[in-house]
Amino acid sequence: MKIAMLGGSFNPIHIGHLILADSVCKTLGYDKILFVPTYCPPHKEMSCEVASDDRFEMVRLAVSDDDRFEAEDCELRRGGVSYTWDTICYLEEKYKSVLTGKIGLIFGEDLLGDYDKWEKSEDLALRADLILACRPQETALKKEFQNSPTEKYGRNPMKGVTRENFPYPHKIVENPKIEISSSEIRQKIAENGSWRYLVPERVFDYIIERNLYEN
């Protein structure tokens, strides 16, 4: 079985995440995509954060109708800073009886400039198949809805790096560029804007029932 992971804060998960996962399955032949909500991302401070249990439940609801997708809570259970290296090692062990080849690691081109600062970045590039996705520019957001880079991230990035010249072994997925972000959804919810069809129906219902992201 070809398995890939898509990590993120999923705060909240939206249709763009699902479209990306579908693209990886369709164009690169992966059988299973594991959605891995991060507990504490090393590269950013999350704004408008909700409980980890809520973020995981939204992911679980979002992927429940597609047998190719699965919610994986290993980073939430592990706690602490969520390093991708640790997650890849864990998933290799968990799925060793069915895994074919390396685990795919899906991430957007917005993270390319800081990849060299990731934990064990060179080893990770050899251990996993890096899958680079399109990521549209975020629309202008109010400061309170923006995520802030932490520590070394966002400072002195690799300049001019693109998916084509990324200096590590990688694959490219040509996913549709969906002009949507979790930050934008949080702002729309707080300001009573239009966001109903930016998330799966079950996620929409969950956010409404739990009054998430409201001021």
Side-chain angles (χ1 to χ4, degrees):
M1 178 184 292
K2 291 185 66 176
I3 299 174
M5 67 161 280
L6 176 60
S9 55
F10 300 119
N11 189 33
I13 189 170
H14 56 68
I15 60 171
H17 295 125
L18 301 178
I19 291 171
L20 171 56
D22 180 66
S23 296
V24 171
C25 290
K26 290 289 189 180
T27 64
L28 298 181
Y30 281 84
D31 305 298
K32 177 75 71 176
I33 307 296
L34 303 173
F35 289 72
V36 185
T38 186
Y39 180 75
C40 179
H43 65 287
K44 66 181 180 181
E45 294 180 0
M46 291 189 287
S47 72
C48 311
E49 185 179 5
V50 300
S52 296
D53 289 346
D54 284 325
R55 290 190 290 115
F56 180 76
E57 182 62 13
M58 286 188 284
V59 171
R60 190 193 68 78
L61 291 170
V63 305
S64 59
D65 290 333
D66 196 320
D67 291 339
R68 302 169 302 168
F69 303 161
E70 184 175 332
E72 168 61 61
D73 67 350
C74 62
E75 292 189 359
L76 301 181
R77 287 185 286 104
R78 189 165 67 234
V81 178
S82 301
Y83 292 115
T84 302
W85 170 262
D86 296 332
T87 302
I88 288 292
C89 294
Y90 169 82
L91 295 177
E92 283 179 348
E93 179 64 22
K94 180 176 180 178
Y95 291 95
K96 62 183 179 181
S97 63
V98 297
L99 182 62
T100 301
K102 300 177 182 179
I103 289 180
L105 173 58
I106 309 166
F107 60 97
E109 56 192 331
D110 57 312
L111 301 178
L112 299 185
D114 278 333
Y115 178 80
D116 62 330
K117 303 182 183 69
W118 288 25
E119 183 79 3
K120 297 186 178 181
S121 57
E122 294 189 4
D123 293 335
L124 181 61
L126 296 176
R127 191 155 192 164
D129 281 331
L130 306 185
I131 302 172
L132 311 186
C134 295
R135 174 70 185 266
Q137 293 289 329
E138 283 193 350
T139 56
L141 297 168
K142 293 181 179 178
K143 187 175 181 179
E144 61 265 33
F145 300 102
Q146 297 176 11
N147 297 314
S148 303
T150 59
E151 298 181 356
K152 59 190 175 183
Y153 297 94
R155 300 173 176 84
N156 301 314
M158 293 187 288
K159 293 183 178 180
V161 64
T162 65
R163 293 191 305 161
E164 287 70 26
N165 65 17
F166 186 61
Y168 297 90
H170 63 278
K171 301 177 180 179
I172 291 177
V173 57
E174 296 297 347
N175 56 295
K177 288 188 177 182
I178 306 300
E179 300 288 341
I180 179 179
S181 71
S182 297
S183 301
E184 181 182 0
I185 292 172
R186 295 194 302 269
Q187 180 170 316
K188 286 180 179 296
I189 294 172
E191 297 179 345
N192 198 30
S194 175
W195 60 281
R196 168 66 186 83
Y197 296 104
L198 302 181
V199 299
E201 183 175 2
R202 291 182 180 179
V203 174
F204 175 82
D205 292 339
Y206 187 84
I207 291 173
I208 295 298
E209 290 169 4
R210 304 279 291 192
N211 297 317
L212 303 182
Y213 308 113
E214 294 186 358
N215 285 336

